[in-house]
Structures are given as structure tokens and as C-alpha cells.
Amino acid sequence: MNKKYRKTIIAGNWKMNLLPSEVKPFTEELRSSMPRVKTCETVLCVPFTHISALRRALKDNRIAVGAQDVSTYEKGAYTGEIAGDMLNDLGVRYCIVGHSERREYHGEDNFTVGRKALAALENGIHPIICVGETLEQRERGITMEHISCQLISALSFIPDDKVRQCVIAYEPIWAIGTGKTATPEEAQEVCSFIRRIMRERYGARLARSVSILYGGSMKSSNAKELLSMPDIDGGLIGGASLKPNEFIQIIDAVAQVTGEER
Ligand code: PGA
């Protein structure tokens, strides 16, 4: 399927790392040697406390600001929660929802993930909806069943006319932070399955325009191979997004795959 209909997205997921005071030096280093790749949207999903500092440090639109979570609630007595309109007000354009760490450590289920995706969309923010299987599920041969259940449940909360604003990230749990990456073929198989689900539910036009990312130990040494796969449109990158040089090399890999000049 032709990639020209969709955006390549390289999204860093800082998780709970770095300090707000480290944002400026980090982005200065990043901006000084980051290639300009027209077809690639670069995003940094940072902790809530870092968003304002990131926005200030970025100065232009070369890098989009992302968050890692959003409340299902709009406003009110929800101590500790952060609402979608608060993120929008700070200039956030992307928000990870349903990351496996939130599902595992914060008890988020498919129902919550769908509501969070909707909360982001209602505030003009692209949700990056994460799905992925455990090693046990892979070994039992139920990967596709699990992925389709996660995806379809989340999408059931989203009005059809908003689905095109969603980004899907396939993150096999066994590959997150483990140094163990899915092979390009394994990642492609699931990403193409995700696109097939999108095609069956929303038609070919939408399916070809939705960006599907791979996440799980993506780094400079494996990015090019993964990004060359026909249904992998970018990466959600944890560990390697904390090192400016690594992150830059991943964006460089996009330039190599798309044949763009640096
Ligand atoms: P990793 O994390 O790149 O460190 O494996 C990816 C993620 O959890 O989004």
C-alpha cells in the first residue's frame, strides 16, 4: 500500500525521565543537528510537568509537543487528573493513550483507553492509541485476536468522522525496554493486520491514510529496517528518545527510507 497518503511520525516517549530543567539543553542539542525531513512529523511526548518548558524551547513547529496521558473526565473534582482542554491550552498536539505501562500499573482497560482517546480528540489532540500483546499471548498464538480486541474496543468510542485523526501504535509488550525488538517481518505482520481492521471497518481510503507506528526497542541500529516495511509508518520510541543523537539518527533513517535529502 502506498505510503504517500499518510504521515511518517517519529514520536519520543520520555516516560518518567529527565527534569523540566533538562528540556532546554536537550532540545538545543536536538535542533542543532536534527535533519529536516518534510514527510516526517517529529513529536516528543513528555511528562505533564515538562510541557511548558518544551513548548518554550521549541520556538517553531519543527517538533510537535505530546503528552503521555489524558483524563477521561472534562473537569471538576478529580484530584491529580489532567484534562484534554488543559493540554490543548498548552499547545499539545499528540497524546499517548493506552500505553501498556498504564494498562499494567494503573489498571487501564480497553474501556478507559477508548474514553481517553475520545477526550483527546474532542480537544483537537491526536491520540496515539497503543496496542500490543504479551510474550505469553504471542506464544499461545493469540496475538491477532488480542490486538483486534484492544483496537476495536478503543475505536468503538470514537465517532467515524474522527477516526482519521487517530494514530495507532503497535507495541509488543515483550519488546518494550527489553532491548528485544520484533523482527521487521513480525512488526509488519501485525501492522498490516491493524490496517486490515481499519479497512474493514472504515474503508480503504481511511485505512491508507492512518499512520501505524511500531514501538519496542526501536533504535538507530534497527530503525531503517523497521521503517522500510510497507505498513510501518513511524516509531514510538522510549529509551532511544532520551539520547538526542540516537533520536536524530532515527529521523535520519526516515530520510533514508523516503529518499529525502537531509
Ligand atoms: P522502548 O519503549 O523504546 O524503550 O522499548 C517504547 C515505548 O514504551 O513506547
Side-chain angles (χ1 to χ4, degrees):
M1 203 180 269
N2 201 324
K3 283 192 176 186
K4 77 176 180 219
Y5 296 107
R6 49 193 185 258
K7 239 191 275 181
T8 301
I9 299 173
I10 297 297
N13 174 11
W14 280 12
K15 309 192 179 185
M16 198 170 72
N17 290 296
L18 302 182
L19 296 171
S21 57
E22 291 174 298
V23 167
K24 194 163 179 249
F26 182 100
T27 46
E28 271 165 11
E29 197 176 335
L30 196 60
R31 283 164 51 90
S32 68
S33 36
M34 196 176 107
R36 278 182 194 275
V37 185
K38 275 206 285 315
T39 51
C40 178
E41 170 99 303
T42 306
V43 186
L44 284 178
C45 299
V46 296
F48 295 133
T49 43
H50 299 36
I51 291 171
S52 293
L54 180 60
R55 193 65 206 289
R56 268 197 310 278
L58 291 178
K59 298 186 188 96
D60 56 26
N61 294 328
R62 273 182 72 197
I63 301 174
V65 179
Q68 299 171 13
D69 189 25
V70 60
S71 179
T72 55
Y73 300 106
E74 272 176 43
K75 63 156 63 211
Y78 301 102
T79 303
E81 288 285 87
I82 304 288
D85 66 346
M86 297 175 185
L87 297 177
N88 171 296
D89 196 56
L90 289 178
V92 168
R93 297 195 24 232
Y94 288 84
C95 182
I96 299 171
V97 298
H99 191 280
S100 60
E101 287 150 15
R102 297 228 41 103
R103 293 180 191 257
E104 185 178 353
Y105 306 126
H106 301 271
E108 291 189 10
D109 56 13
N110 291 332
F111 178 76
T112 311
V113 175
R115 287 172 67 213
K116 289 189 170 193
L118 181 62
L121 287 164
E122 281 175 339
N123 289 286
I125 296 168
H126 300 283
I128 303 176
I129 303 171
C130 301
V131 295
E133 81 287 3
T134 61
L135 188 56
E136 198 221 328
Q137 287 165 329
R138 177 158 280 267
E139 284 170 354
R140 281 173 54 208
I142 55 167
T143 297
M144 300 310 187
E145 200 180 317
H146 178 71
I147 300 287
S148 100
C149 172
Q150 285 185 320
L151 186 62
I152 291 171
S153 321
L155 291 172
S156 68
F157 287 83
I158 300 171
D160 285 7
D161 65 334
K162 286 204 176 346
V163 172
R164 64 178 58 254
Q165 292 159 39
C166 296
V167 177
I168 315 294
Y170 167 55
E171 297 208 306
I173 296 172
W174 47 271
I176 296 178
T178 57
K180 214 172 147 182
T181 320
T183 64
E185 293 72 25
E186 282 169 335
Q188 161 62 22
E189 189 187 14
V190 180
C191 291
S192 118
F193 174 72
I194 291 172
R195 202 176 305 283
R196 199 171 84 211
I197 295 178
M198 301 304 279
R199 189 163 48 244
E200 283 164 6
R201 290 178 69 88
Y202 305 104
R205 237 184 126 124
L206 185 130
R208 74 179 181 198
S209 68
V210 69
S211 299
I212 303 175
L213 318 184
Y214 166 79
S217 300
M218 191 188 267
K219 45 188 176 277
S220 60
S221 57
N222 59 27
K224 192 175 167 199
E225 275 184 291
L226 286 159
L227 296 168
S228 303
M229 290 288 142
D231 288 293
I232 301 181
D233 308 314
L236 182 56
I237 297 139
S241 75
L242 296 166
K243 301 176 202 137
N245 193 37
E246 268 287 306
F247 198 58
I248 287 167
Q249 287 184 59
I250 294 174
I251 300 164
D252 244 337
V254 176
Q256 288 170 35
V257 171
T258 58
E260 266 189 70
E261 293 285 318
R262 281 202 45 148

